[in-house]
Amino acid sequence: MSIFEIAKATVSVRQAAECYGLKLSRNNMVYCLFHNDRHPSLKLNEDYFFCFSCGAKGDVIDFVARLFDLSSYEAAQKLVTDFGLDPKPPNAAAMAKPKRPLIRQFREDEMLCFRVLTDYLHLLEEWKVRYAPKTPEDEWDDRFVEACQMLDHIEHLADILTVGSLGERVVVVDELKKEDKIAFLQDYVERKKEVAHHGEEPEKA
Ligand SMILES: [Zn+2]
């Protein structure tokens, strides 16, 4: 169905006139749009209009085109829009499809990033305490150094994913996904946690 057919099949001339604020007399007459009318002489029927004075006639699309000074196509479009008849043009339907998987993909990526960041954050917090030098002479443990260097940054990223706007979160997730950074970090955190729980010499009492 073309939008002409949809508009004509669904909206009567009378409905269009009423919708656009024309005052109809009791016998469905209005002032003619096509000549300088002194008495209402344009008769509005269901699917056509006719002027008893100047002889103008046409369908609902002609009527709306005349009323708003539009082309026939624009008039049909206006009717379809104003009366909520939008038949969902095929390109809109096609565009709606990839959108959802994209959003879903983003949510998944975001969840992964958040999980890895908080895992890493906890590890850093633990390291910062556990491997802090006990005396000024102690050599600094690499993990303590890493914790000092990275904590603020990682905390900042995790904060954005928690309270940031969608735009800010997209930037962070994009950045973390670049060159598989997040997969690398996930792997790194897993390995470090393994070491912390199994592989290391027991702590000195
Ligand atoms: Zn007329």
Side-chain angles (χ1 to χ4, degrees):
M1 249 185 160
S2 71
I3 62 168
F4 293 99
E5 291 167 324
I6 291 170
K8 279 197 276 191
T10 327
V11 187
S12 72
V13 177
R14 225 174 286 157
Q15 283 174 318
E18 275 168 339
C19 171
Y20 296 130
L22 268 67
K23 272 219 174 92
L24 276 74
S25 71
R26 243 191 304 163
N27 50 355
N28 296 316
M29 306 284 283
V30 295
Y31 286 102
C32 182
L33 308 169
F34 301 90
H35 79 277
N36 189 9
D37 205 0
R38 290 165 63 204
H39 304 284
S41 45
L42 192 67
K43 170 87 171 170
L44 305 183
N45 294 306
E46 281 299 309
D47 41 338
Y48 71 97
F49 61 82
F50 175 74
C51 177
F52 289 103
S53 179
C54 73
K57 59 181 191 296
D59 58 23
V60 66
I61 290 169
D62 300 322
F63 185 79
V64 172
R66 180 67 188 204
L67 193 56
F68 294 100
D69 196 18
L70 301 171
S71 70
S72 299
Y73 186 73
E74 289 168 333
Q77 272 185 318
K78 181 169 177 57
L79 281 165
V80 162
T81 305
D82 293 351
F83 282 81
L85 310 173
D86 199 340
K88 293 219 173 100
N91 57 338
M95 277 166 62
K97 278 214 165 166
K99 237 181 193 174
R100 249 188 227 160
L102 266 183
I103 291 281
R104 200 183 304 142
Q105 183 62 51
F106 171 71
R107 299 256 183 261
E108 280 171 18
D109 292 342
E110 187 184 35
M111 266 159 56
L112 173 70
C113 288
F114 184 72
R115 208 173 59 228
V116 172
L117 284 177
T118 46
D119 268 7
Y120 187 39
L121 198 59
H122 292 148
L123 196 65
L124 291 173
E125 281 165 347
E126 191 188 317
W127 285 355
K128 194 170 182 182
V129 176
R130 180 180 292 192
Y131 300 110
K134 308 281 187 295
T135 70
E137 289 79 33
D138 278 356
E139 212 173 306
W140 284 17
D141 191 290
D142 287 344
R143 287 160 289 197
F144 175 73
V145 175
E146 184 175 330
C148 293
Q149 287 174 339
M150 298 301 291
L151 250 175
D152 281 355
H153 179 58
I154 299 300
E155 199 165 25
H156 176 64
L157 293 180
D159 275 355
I160 292 177
L161 292 189
T162 311
V163 295
S165 68
L166 180 61
E168 291 168 331
R169 280 147 48 211
V170 167
V171 170
V172 168
V173 171
D174 272 358
E175 186 55 37
L176 287 169
K177 281 192 67 192
K178 241 181 240 168
E179 292 150 23
D180 254 353
K181 271 185 213 160
I182 197 66
F184 176 82
L185 187 59
Q186 184 178 26
D187 187 52
Y188 176 80
V189 173
E190 287 307 318
R191 274 186 290 124
K192 293 293 179 184
K193 278 187 350 199
E194 286 280 303
V195 168
H197 293 139
H198 310 289
E200 228 175 24
E201 36 183 280
E203 283 203 67
K204 287 158 213 151

